[in-house]
């Protein structure tokens, strides 16, 4: 029988993602239902190292389930890449008398968590990033909202693009990952999508040929989605205009896609994952990440979770191409 958990820390780390607040609410309320004290750490690992925290009570998380961003603030912490920083973080954990640290964040934040676990910190991870770029899970909190925000923006761009019979090049977030780009392209009916694994100079030339071919097939405007990891959307727009003579505009959606009220899907995953993270700690599970695969939530051992191979695109690219004609 595991020892009873009395006190846990909670932080959000890396880029904020819509739904992080819903996960914070779920963690706090589940913990309190077990009589566990929750220490909210501000600004991610930075706040842990520098001692910025406060107790979170049930009313502190009222009215936040539908709010974007994170009430705990977040940061990308350089000190966590050093042994000194890691040791400081582990010392604060001990001094605070924490039995577990729940970390809501993406791959980088989980790698930091793994390093902390080697120093005796019991870390439970909740996947939170709009990029969906964690190999261990089919869902990361924030992805659905980011795609919906992207799709909404692209739909507005479609209106103006079709009115002027222009070509629109739209760059979406996602760091090196293709998922936001694939989903935005599919749900917006884009003709072409450029993602890091598939693009080279020839790829860009093919896009230009595609624009011309689609015009000859009777299309009067064009939508091209570019993943952030490919970049160069302004240059691509200029090349398309110079070579084809078709008026072309580039739009970079950028951080717009990180904000906004989380969708129902994000609130749902965040609530279940937040609840489960605490339940796993109560059961005595140590150093794991809550994942969602094949329709089920589970707690995966952190080492195993972080050594899984990348997912393939599930044939999305080919479908986008077939539907674009
Ligand atoms: O990881 C989320 C994300 O929004 C990426 O899509 C993007 O590349 C990065 O964060 C931007 O980071 P920052 O907000 O630090 O500029």
């Amino acid at each position: 029988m595991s020892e009873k958990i009395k006190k846990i820390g909670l932080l959000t780390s890396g880029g904020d993602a819509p739904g992080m607040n819903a996960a914070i609410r779920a963690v706090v309320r589940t913990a309190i239902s077990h009589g566990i004290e929750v220490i909210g750490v501000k600004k991610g690992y930075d706040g842990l190292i520098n001692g910025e925290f406060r107790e979170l009570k049930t009313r502190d998380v009222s009215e936040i389930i539908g709010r974007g961003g994170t009430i705990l603030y977040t940061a990308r912490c350089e000190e966590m890449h050093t042994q000194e920083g890691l040791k400081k973080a582990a010392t604060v954990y001990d001094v605070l008398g924490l039995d577990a640290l729940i970390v809501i964040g993406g791959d980088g934040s989980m790698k930091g968590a793994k390093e902390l676990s080697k120093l005796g910190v019991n870390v439970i991870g909740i996947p939170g990033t709009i990029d969906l770029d964690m190999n261990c899970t089919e869902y990361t909190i924030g992805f659905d909202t980011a795609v919906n925000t992207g799709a909404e923006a692209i739909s507005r761009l479609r209106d103006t693009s079709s009115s002027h019979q222009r070509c629109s090049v739209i760059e979406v977030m996602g760091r090196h990952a293709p998922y936001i780009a694939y989903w935005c392209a599919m749900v917006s009916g884009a003709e072409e999508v450029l993602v890091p694994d598939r693009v080279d100079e020839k790829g860009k030339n093919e896009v230009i040929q595609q624009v011309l071919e689609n015009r000859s097939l009777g299309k009067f405007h064009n939508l091209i989605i570019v993943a952030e990891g490919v970049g160069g959307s302004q240059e691509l727009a200029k090349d398309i205009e110079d070579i084809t003579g078709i008026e072309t505009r580039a739009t970079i959606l950028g951080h717009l896609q990180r904000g906004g009220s989380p969708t129902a899907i994000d609130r749902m995953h965040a609530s279940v994952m937040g609840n489960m993270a605490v339940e796993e700690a109560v059961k005595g599970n140590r150093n794991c990440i809550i994942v969602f695969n094949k329709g089920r939530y589970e707690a995966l051992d952190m080492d195993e979770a972080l050594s899984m191979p990348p997912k393939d695109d599930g044939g999305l690219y080919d479908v986008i191409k077939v539907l674009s004609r």
Side-chain angles (χ1 to χ4, degrees):
M1 188 69 190
S2 58
E3 267 181 44
K4 191 171 164 9
I5 295 251
K6 296 192 191 75
K7 202 179 191 185
I8 59 170
L10 170 64
L11 60 82
T12 49
S13 168
D16 60 293
M20 280 184 164
N21 281 328
I24 291 170
R25 171 181 176 270
V27 167
V28 170
R29 297 222 168 137
T30 306
I32 288 171
S33 79
H34 284 284
I36 298 168
E37 187 181 339
V38 183
I39 303 299
V41 180
K42 289 186 188 170
K43 303 183 204 158
Y45 294 117
D46 263 352
L48 186 62
I49 290 169
N50 298 312
E52 290 190 66
F53 23 73
R54 69 176 169 111
E55 187 179 350
L56 290 174
K57 299 259 179 66
T58 195
R59 289 282 77 79
D60 293 321
V61 293
S62 296
E63 315 283 344
I64 65 167
I65 192 167
R67 202 190 300 168
T70 158
I71 61 159
L72 285 175
Y73 307 106
T74 186
R76 301 190 194 279
C77 178
E78 288 306 318
E79 267 189 281
M80 282 289 284
H81 297 292
T82 66
Q83 272 308 312
E84 203 191 335
L86 285 165
K87 274 186 198 148
K88 273 196 216 165
T91 304
V92 176
Y93 173 91
D94 286 338
V95 170
L96 278 173
L98 299 178
D99 299 302
L101 176 68
I102 297 185
V103 173
I104 308 171
D107 223 25
S109 307
M110 295 306 148
K111 284 181 184 140
K114 185 179 158 178
E115 292 307 309
L116 277 182
S117 73
K118 291 181 192 161
L119 300 177
V121 175
N122 174 22
V123 205
I124 305 206
I126 298 177
T129 166
I130 62 166
D131 300 339
L132 196 70
D133 59 349
M134 292 174 70
N135 300 340
C136 58
T137 180
E138 286 167 16
Y139 198 77
T140 60
I141 296 163
F143 176 71
D144 187 60
T145 309
V147 169
N148 275 281
T149 304
E152 161 83 28
I154 294 164
S155 151
R156 288 164 194 261
L157 290 166
R158 176 187 276 278
D159 290 346
T160 172
S161 179
S162 74
S163 301
H164 285 265
Q165 304 197 335
R166 282 176 176 157
C167 173
S168 268
V169 176
I170 303 152
E171 188 173 315
V172 298
M173 261 200 173
R175 203 181 290 273
H176 307 298
Y179 309 106
I180 295 180
Y182 277 146
W183 278 61
C184 281
M186 184 79 87
V187 305
S188 306
E191 283 149 67
E192 188 55 86
V193 56
L194 293 174
V195 298
D197 285 349
R198 289 181 178 265
V199 75
D200 52 20
E201 208 36 56
K202 183 165 163 270
K204 290 196 179 183
N205 288 335
E206 275 172 10
V207 171
I208 294 169
Q209 287 312 313
Q210 182 78 66
V211 168
L212 286 171
E213 194 186 319
N214 285 352
R215 290 278 165 150
S216 72
L217 291 173
K219 290 203 176 211
F220 293 113
H221 72 100
N222 313 82
L223 281 183
I224 295 165
I225 307 298
V226 177
E228 181 186 7
V230 172
S233 46
Q234 300 282 1
E235 294 77 14
L236 177 63
K238 188 173 179 314
D239 286 351
I240 293 172
E241 187 161 310
D242 288 349
I243 293 168
T244 66
I246 296 166
E247 268 197 313
T248 305
R249 298 286 186 269
T251 307
I252 300 174
L253 297 187
H255 288 82
L256 183 89
Q257 281 189 279
R258 278 236 299 260
S261 178
T263 59
I265 295 228
D266 275 321
R267 295 180 200 196
M268 183 72 184
H269 284 298
S271 300
V272 177
M273 287 176 166
N275 167 266
M276 198 166 160
V278 177
E279 294 297 347
E280 289 300 320
V282 168
K283 276 193 254 166
N285 201 348
R286 294 180 63 83
N287 302 319
C288 58
I289 302 180
I290 308 301
V291 298
F292 180 77
N293 287 322
K294 299 195 168 79
R296 292 177 65 85
Y297 298 95
E298 64 174 320
L300 217 57
D301 170 73
M302 191 163 276
D303 286 339
E304 188 189 339
L306 295 180
S307 58
M308 290 175 85
K311 311 177 264 259
D312 68 17
D313 72 16
L316 289 183
Y317 181 81
D318 296 331
V319 179
I320 291 164
K321 292 305 294 172
V322 168
L323 302 187
S324 71
R325 296 302 161 93

